[in-house]
Amino acid sequence: MRKTVLHILALLLLLSGCHSRREAKCVLLQAESVVDNAPDSALALLESVGHPEDRFGKADFMQFEVILVKSKYKCYKPIYADTLIFDSYHFFLNEKDIAKASQAALYGGCVNVERNHFDAAMECFKNADFYAEKVSDSSCRAFAQYYIGDLLNQQGDENQAIDAYRQAERLYGNDYSRKSRCLNAMAMMFLVLGETDSAFYYLDSAMEMAETKGCQNMKSALLNNYSVAYQQIG
């Protein structure tokens, strides 16, 4: 029902053309409030704003770009061309709005990954972690550390990748679904290193969390990785 209401609101705003900054600001605030749990609704709202560069003041337009990239990323939409996110990062950093700068850095890293700019992505994720720590944003830090782990894994540095995944797992707190994802990633790194006992320990820990959360997709991935692990030990 909530998604239906938001989609109707998006349609009405589209038809009205968002003629005022007040309307556009309302759309942005609504999108921010739902992007984590309903990114498709947030994206529909943001895309209802015609010519956003003309509808917002500078600060709101920079935040619009951050929430737009975040919603597109969470909806598995391409973000290759969303390079204005880097302007958002520098703007918020110059304004000393560290909380928003950390979010811009995080999703700037995601844009760089999609553009295959992996060194730049690593810098973005490290910046996101650095600034998120200053404002005690453990969620942003957890995502940044997980992505750092992925990049280290890609570089063949399994030991440092394990450290990053472990940091992410700790920072996710009581989010068992994401914690299990981190433990699964650690298990696969240990498997690559030939440390099968450690690999099975983290697979078991991840499965326990996935079952606690009732996360079927994670359980399926873990069962597949158990199969890989058993094949490796013969």
Side-chain angles (χ1 to χ4, degrees):
M1 175 64 72
R2 187 180 186 185
K3 287 187 178 182
T4 301
V5 171
L6 289 171
H7 284 305
I8 292 173
L9 175 59
L11 179 60
L12 291 174
L13 288 168
L14 179 61
L15 293 173
S16 68
C18 286
H19 293 300
S20 74
R21 284 192 175 186
R22 178 179 295 179
E23 289 173 327
K25 177 73 170 182
C26 287
V27 171
L28 177 57
L29 292 174
Q30 185 66 53
E32 283 185 88
S33 72
V34 302
V35 66
D36 287 317
N37 296 318
D40 54 338
S41 296
L43 184 58
L45 285 165
L46 295 173
E47 289 182 339
S48 75
V49 182
H51 303 288
E53 66 279 5
D54 298 327
R55 307 299 182 195
F56 296 104
K58 181 69 171 180
D60 285 339
F61 179 57
M62 292 292 95
Q63 181 66 354
F64 174 91
E65 289 297 326
V66 175
I67 304 304
L68 178 64
V69 174
K70 182 175 181 178
S71 61
K72 288 169 73 174
Y73 181 78
K74 286 179 171 289
C75 290
Y76 305 101
K77 302 287 187 182
I79 54 174
Y80 176 90
D82 290 283
T83 55
L84 279 175
I85 191 79
F86 306 124
D87 291 344
S88 295
Y89 168 69
H90 291 296
F91 174 83
F92 289 125
L93 200 59
N94 289 336
E95 293 294 309
K96 296 182 171 53
D97 192 334
I98 302 303
K100 289 181 179 178
S102 64
Q103 288 288 316
L106 180 68
Y107 289 99
C110 296
V111 171
N112 273 322
V113 168
E114 195 163 305
R115 294 171 68 85
N116 295 324
H117 296 168
F118 299 117
D119 288 343
M122 180 68 84
E123 182 179 359
C124 283
F125 293 139
K126 287 181 176 179
N127 286 337
D129 179 58
F130 177 78
Y131 291 114
E133 185 175 20
K134 290 183 178 296
V135 292
S136 301
D137 186 345
S138 58
S139 178
C140 182
R141 290 195 66 203
F143 277 108
Q145 285 292 334
Y146 187 88
Y147 296 142
I148 287 170
D150 281 351
L151 290 174
L152 290 167
N153 173 22
Q154 184 178 313
Q155 294 170 7
D157 194 340
E158 289 85 7
N159 286 302
Q160 287 198 49
I162 288 169
D163 289 341
Y165 291 137
R166 183 176 285 114
Q167 278 267 58
E169 189 271 334
R170 179 181 61 82
L171 289 162
Y172 275 129
N174 293 324
D175 189 337
Y176 293 118
S177 178
R178 291 192 170 100
K179 286 170 80 74
S180 65
R181 183 183 176 199
C182 296
L183 294 170
N184 178 51
M186 292 168 65
M188 300 316 292
M189 293 300 93
F190 280 115
L191 200 59
V192 171
L193 292 169
E195 299 180 27
T196 53
D197 287 346
S198 294
F200 279 108
Y201 170 80
Y202 284 105
L203 283 172
D204 290 345
S205 298
M207 181 61 79
E208 183 179 350
M209 286 190 181
E211 289 178 340
T212 298
K213 184 67 176 179
C215 184
Q216 294 301 320
N217 289 339
M218 191 70 246
K219 288 169 67 175
S220 297
L222 286 164
L223 288 172
N224 181 69
N225 288 340
Y226 271 114
S227 177
V228 172
Y230 280 119
Q231 288 177 19
Q232 182 162 317
I233 64 176

